[in-house]
Amino acid sequence: MEKTEQTIFDELGKLCVSPGYIHALAFICFNDNFIEIGDELSGQDLLKMHSWERLNRNEIMTLVGLMAKRPIDFTLPDPATIQGYINETQRLMKDLHSSMSSALFGQLTPKKVKNANFDPFAYGSALREPFFYSGEAAYAFQLRDLALPKYAADSAWLKQHKGFSIDEAHRVARSFTELQDRNLTDLPATLRQKPPSEWSVLEGFSVTPDEIVHASGIDIGVVKRVLSAFALLGGDPNGAFLSLHDFNACTATPLIERESGALILFSHHSLMQSLYESPFYWMIDDPQYKETASINRGRFAEEFVRVRLAHVFSEKRVFHGVKILESKGKERPEIDVLAFFGNRAIVVQAKSKKLTLEARMGNDGQIRSDFREAVQKAYDQGRESSLALLNPTFQFRDSTGQFLKIPALKEIFIITTLSEAYPALAFQTRQFLRYEATDVIRPPVVTDIFAIDAMTEMLDSPLWFVDYLRRRSAYFDKLHVPDEMTALSYHLKRGLWLEEQYDFVHLDDDISCDLDAAMTVRREGIPGKRTPDGILTHLAGSTIEKILREIEAKPTPETLDFAFTVLSCNEEATKKLSEAIDEASDRFEHDGKAHNFIMSLRSVPATGVIIHCNQDAVEEAWRNLQSHCERRKYIHRAEEWYGICISPGSKRLRFGIGLEFPWKRDATREPHTKSLQNEEGRKVGRNDPCPCGSGKKYKKCHGH
């Protein structure tokens, strides 16, 4: 008979209070959470961190919490006993995972499976497993550094009631983990000088207040107050931790104090998450400050998103606290953050909500209630705001009181973002979110500020950022990912494009290794690639990239749609397009004559582009390009056709034309397109001149 979850939890509890168990836990944490790198950090180095064989933070902190239920015995056992502890821990943790997973399969009966409306993941008992085993919502360095702006407005309260500022707490936390990393790096050399019977990595996890004072330059009194705020108190501090999803005090106070005064930390992430989350709970325990703390937390989420989007789109294109005024002056709920890029808009609604303890324990109603408050309401508000943006009778006023001019919008992207870690957010969104999309209002992107931070860091230009939103929203129902970081990393490497024949695509979180490495390099100053090889590198320095940057600077509707189409093409197609523009310009330089290039960009729906390279007067050049595009669109029965006019020599964009409408037979066009149809129908031999006009043989140009 399979053991129950509670039985396994109780067995773990007995194991964790065994004499000297802390040394076994130190070995587990060292093996699972620390990596060696060469001269540079790479995604391959971080692959280990996504292995199912290692314990995640929730598992480690469960072991720490169980160990802390009694006074910790620091006696060093013999190596065989330590190995026995490790083996038993790994066995019980696998049993625990199996037990939690069985909650899903235990609901499956032949009758339920035959019911087309049955969803096994709609029940809280099945969701407890993804809550516990979901990946981290944020990088540890994000939690650490975002704590600074999050509590900047609360500095006076913290100083008065805790004796330190958020800046001082940040510096102490950073110094602690940096010292610990140094200690653990040096530890193997130290151990080799001792007999195996004395081997323990526990000392590598220990840091003293004096070491932090030396590293941070902060007064010893302040350092001790910070450490005390995040350290487990003596006595029986974790007595309420009686089952897996009970409150574990060690998640809020992950530091373990030794009699010597040194402190032990088994999870960097836990310390940084407590730094990010705990001050808010300290403050709301103060009845006189509770409301102010809540207001400040809400403002932080909105302001953070505004700043990050302004980093991408510029201050003049991003607005916050936007009031919506109906025709009679009645106000609707505000748009937290609103950004424009040409005829595209981004509507962001930010919330500061967490998954409650009761929901984590599997309460169906509470899970849905939490999701409704955290995500569904934000989406509903975002959709209502999007509909208002399309209504010409509404007016919009930003936080400064200025009225906004709303362009004719082709696409609106709704982003709901949370400022707190929310376990299995992507999974819950797929299960519970109710949304309504239109041709203009796209399916939403549901995420948190940590993913917004990464998105705006890696896609720091409007064109590339909106292109990601277009693709991500297009696959709302098709793409299943553990978190938004996985989807973003896949996009950076390969472009987020999925075959039409697939109804469901799942990506594992190990895909995010390259993004993990790039973000770490950028934020921690570790040597390595700042940008993964992929969509941000394969166009770098090319003519087509320069043209896309010009479009980005002046995003007219015609050129913007062309740019998005180019970004949706594969590397080979964009390379050929760029080379064709170069060749047309070179030929003009050689013979002084205008040159054209025609290329199919997409087969479904049929889409093409004509490049004109000339110095004709703008009016004449525009008429010729318009006529040429209309004829080609008709011949190819295309839904979309674009025309781009390029200046020879400089290869700068002169203007663009976009034709986007369904193809219909038109008898009046047949005589005017007959010659072009004959040209299209003629079979091109491998040794014939290429139809693109390059002057090369077909086999040397587009025939290879």
Side-chain angles (χ1 to χ4, degrees):
M1 181 176 178
E2 186 176 346
K3 294 180 182 178
T4 65
E5 176 188 309
Q6 188 60 46
T7 299
I8 299 168
F9 181 85
D10 292 340
E11 289 183 14
L12 275 170
K14 293 178 181 178
L15 174 65
C16 291
V17 296
S18 300
Y21 178 80
I22 193 169
H23 296 277
L25 182 54
F27 270 114
I28 292 171
C29 292
F30 180 75
N31 183 67
D32 287 1
N33 292 326
F34 288 85
I35 61 172
E36 291 186 37
I37 63 173
D39 295 334
E40 293 188 345
L41 177 67
S42 70
Q44 191 67 28
D45 293 328
L46 296 173
L47 192 60
K48 163 187 172 180
M49 304 305 291
H50 295 273
S51 170
W52 283 100
E53 296 300 316
R54 64 177 287 272
L55 300 186
N56 71 11
R57 180 179 61 87
N58 286 334
E59 292 175 294
I60 287 173
M61 294 313 296
T62 294
L63 298 175
V64 174
L66 290 171
M67 183 179 65
K69 288 174 68 66
R70 292 184 187 175
I72 298 172
D73 185 340
F74 288 91
T75 303
L76 177 63
D78 60 77
T81 300
I82 292 177
Q83 188 60 53
Y85 288 161
I86 293 172
N87 294 343
E88 185 68 1
T89 299
Q90 292 172 339
R91 182 187 69 80
L92 288 172
M93 296 308 288
K94 288 180 180 179
D95 289 348
L96 184 65
H97 196 173
S98 177
S99 176
M100 292 185 71
S101 300
S102 67
L104 165 64
F105 300 105
Q107 300 178 70
L108 300 180
T109 64
K111 183 178 179 180
K112 287 181 178 180
V113 171
K114 290 178 181 178
N115 185 346
N117 296 320
F118 174 65
D119 181 1
F121 293 104
Y123 299 92
S125 56
L127 289 171
R128 293 171 69 252
E129 192 270 350
F131 289 167
F132 190 75
Y133 292 100
S134 61
E136 302 297 349
Y139 299 115
F141 52 77
Q142 285 181 310
L143 293 164
R144 179 194 69 207
D145 295 341
L146 267 60
L148 290 171
K150 183 177 183 181
Y151 298 112
D154 303 303
S155 183
W157 187 96
L158 287 169
K159 199 71 176 177
Q160 179 183 352
H161 292 82
K162 289 293 183 177
F164 56 82
S165 66
I166 191 61
D167 177 68
E168 289 168 332
H170 172 272
R171 288 162 61 192
V172 168
R174 180 164 195 156
S175 296
F176 192 111
T177 54
E178 288 176 349
L179 287 165
Q180 191 180 77
D181 286 344
R182 187 192 66 190
N183 293 344
L184 289 167
T185 300
D186 296 340
L187 187 64
T190 302
L191 293 182
R192 282 193 290 269
Q193 299 174 11
K194 298 180 179 181
S197 61
E198 297 179 13
W199 283 4
S200 173
V201 298
L202 184 60
E203 292 305 314
F205 287 91
S206 301
V207 176
T208 68
D210 288 338
E211 288 176 314
I212 295 174
V213 169
H214 181 73
S216 67
I218 298 176
D219 178 79
I220 185 64
V222 175
V223 168
K224 287 185 175 181
R225 286 193 288 273
V226 173
L227 295 175
S228 177
F230 296 100
L232 196 64
L233 300 176
D236 185 22
N238 215 17
F241 190 39
L242 301 176
S243 65
L244 189 62
H245 290 278
D246 284 339
F247 175 68
N248 179 359
C250 291
T251 59
T253 51
L255 299 179
I256 298 172
E257 189 170 5
R258 304 187 69 165
E259 290 184 359
S260 64
L263 292 109
I264 297 169
L265 175 67
F266 285 119
S267 168
H268 286 192
H269 199 284
S270 290
L271 176 60
M272 300 314 177
Q273 184 155 339
S274 185
L275 176 68
Y276 183 81
E277 294 180 352
S278 293
F280 174 72
Y281 294 100
W282 303 338
M283 291 183 287
I284 62 174
D285 278 343
D286 180 350
Q288 295 181 329
Y289 197 75
K290 180 178 181 179
E291 184 177 355
T292 300
S294 296
I295 291 172
N296 288 343
R297 184 168 75 154
R299 286 175 177 169
F300 155 72
E302 180 181 314
E303 177 63 9
F304 179 81
V305 174
R306 186 200 68 78
V307 169
R308 293 309 299 171
L309 289 184
H311 170 71
V312 176
F313 294 96
S314 80
E315 293 282 350
K316 65 181 181 180
R317 290 175 173 167
V318 180
F319 311 91
H320 71 286
V322 177
K323 296 185 181 299
I324 305 174
L325 310 176
E326 294 189 30
S327 56
K328 295 182 180 180
K330 180 182 177 183
E331 291 189 8
R332 291 193 172 195
E334 292 182 354
I335 301 175
D336 288 341
V337 182
L338 176 63
F340 292 108
F341 180 56
N343 55 358
R344 268 73 175 183
I346 300 171
V347 174
V348 183
Q349 298 299 149
K351 296 290 184 184
S352 301
K353 302 290 184 182
K354 292 192 66 175
L355 191 69
T356 61
L357 190 61
E358 189 175 355
R360 290 173 183 266
M361 296 177 71
N363 183 304
D364 290 358
Q366 191 62 50
I367 291 171
R368 287 172 171 77
S369 176
D370 286 356
F371 185 84
R372 183 171 59 252
E373 294 297 318
V375 178
Q376 188 68 57
K377 284 187 176 181
Y379 167 75
D380 293 342
Q381 188 174 338
R383 189 173 192 280
E384 183 180 351
S385 300
S386 299
L387 290 170
L389 287 169
L390 299 175
N391 189 330
T393 67
F394 284 66
Q395 290 184 308
F396 299 83
R397 192 171 61 205
D398 70 6
S399 59
T400 68
Q402 296 295 314
F403 284 95
L404 305 180
K405 183 178 180 181
I406 308 301
L409 295 171
K410 183 172 183 177
E411 289 181 303
I412 301 175
F413 304 97
I414 300 172
I415 300 178
T416 71
T417 183
L418 295 167
S419 65
E420 308 298 321
Y422 203 92
L425 177 59
F427 187 88
Q428 291 189 66
T429 297
R430 184 176 177 83
Q431 291 299 122
F432 302 129
L433 185 67
R434 300 293 174 260
Y435 74 96
E436 297 178 62
T438 70
D439 289 340
V440 177
I441 303 174
R442 309 299 295 157
V445 175
V446 178
T447 187
D448 52 45
I449 64 172
F450 311 111
I452 294 289
D453 183 37
M455 289 161 60
T456 54
E457 175 71 28
M458 304 307 301
L459 303 170
D460 60 351
S461 74
L463 185 61
W464 270 257
F465 187 89
V466 173
D467 176 59
Y468 177 70
L469 294 183
R470 296 179 81 242
R471 302 196 202 196
R472 185 68 181 94
S473 63
Y475 298 128
F476 182 89
D477 291 317
K478 180 182 289 191
L479 183 65
H480 181 252
V481 291
D483 51 59
E484 197 60 35
M485 300 294 194
T486 303
L488 176 61
S489 187
Y490 183 86
H491 176 66
L492 294 174
K493 290 291 290 182
R494 304 178 185 178
L496 189 55
W497 183 85
L498 305 177
E499 296 281 357
E500 288 294 327
Q501 67 263 34
Y502 299 123
D503 295 324
F504 180 90
V505 176
H506 174 78
L507 302 178
D508 284 333
D509 65 357
D510 58 359
I511 289 173
S512 68
C513 285
D514 291 297
L515 174 62
D516 298 343
M519 286 292 292
T520 303
V521 167
R522 287 169 178 247
R523 297 295 175 84
E524 297 288 75
I526 296 174
K529 286 186 177 180
R530 293 174 57 84
T531 303
D533 293 332
I535 65 163
L536 298 178
T537 59
H538 78 253
L539 292 180
S542 66
T543 296
I544 192 63
E545 187 213 20
K546 295 174 184 176
I547 292 173
L548 292 176
R549 295 296 184 186
E550 290 185 73
I551 292 172
E552 183 176 69
K554 295 181 179 179
T556 65
E558 298 83 4
T559 57
L560 194 52
D561 289 328
F562 165 72
F564 287 135
T565 301
V566 171
L567 289 176
S568 71
C569 295
N570 60 36
E571 182 177 355
E572 181 182 2
T574 52
K575 183 179 179 181
K576 284 187 175 181
L577 179 59
S578 190
E579 290 174 347
I581 296 171
D582 291 336
E583 188 158 358
S585 177
D586 292 343
R587 293 183 67 202
F588 184 97
E589 294 289 297
H590 178 71
D591 59 21
K593 297 179 181 180
H595 291 277
N596 307 326
F597 174 76
I598 304 162
M599 182 175 176
S600 175
L601 297 177
R602 192 165 54 205
S603 57
V604 181
T607 304
V609 62
I610 298 173
I611 305 295
H612 277 197
C613 184
N614 60 51
Q615 288 182 334
D616 298 342
V618 172
E619 290 186 2
E620 179 184 358
W622 190 92
R623 284 196 303 270
N624 290 338
L625 184 56
Q626 175 81 7
S627 175
H628 200 173
C629 287
E630 289 174 349
R631 286 181 289 159
R632 285 292 176 180
K633 182 180 185 302
Y634 185 78
I635 289 170
H636 289 274
R637 302 190 176 193
E639 297 288 301
E640 303 169 4
W641 202 274
Y642 302 102
I644 298 295
C645 187
I646 304 297
S647 292
S650 68
K651 305 175 205 174
R652 293 182 67 92
L653 175 69
R654 298 184 68 193
F655 60 85
I657 291 172
L659 304 178
E660 299 181 4
F661 50 84
W663 184 91
K664 291 195 302 185
R665 184 172 295 281
D666 184 351
T668 63
R669 287 192 175 276
E670 297 293 334
H672 302 289
T673 57
K674 186 175 181 180
S675 61
L676 286 175
Q677 286 175 324
N678 290 337
E679 179 184 329
E680 290 291 318
R682 181 176 67 84
K683 181 175 177 63
V684 180
R686 287 180 53 76
N687 291 309
D688 290 342
C690 186
C692 75
S694 66
K696 295 181 180 180
K697 290 182 179 181
Y698 179 62
K699 66 181 180 181
K700 295 290 188 179
C701 191
H702 286 82
H704 66 284

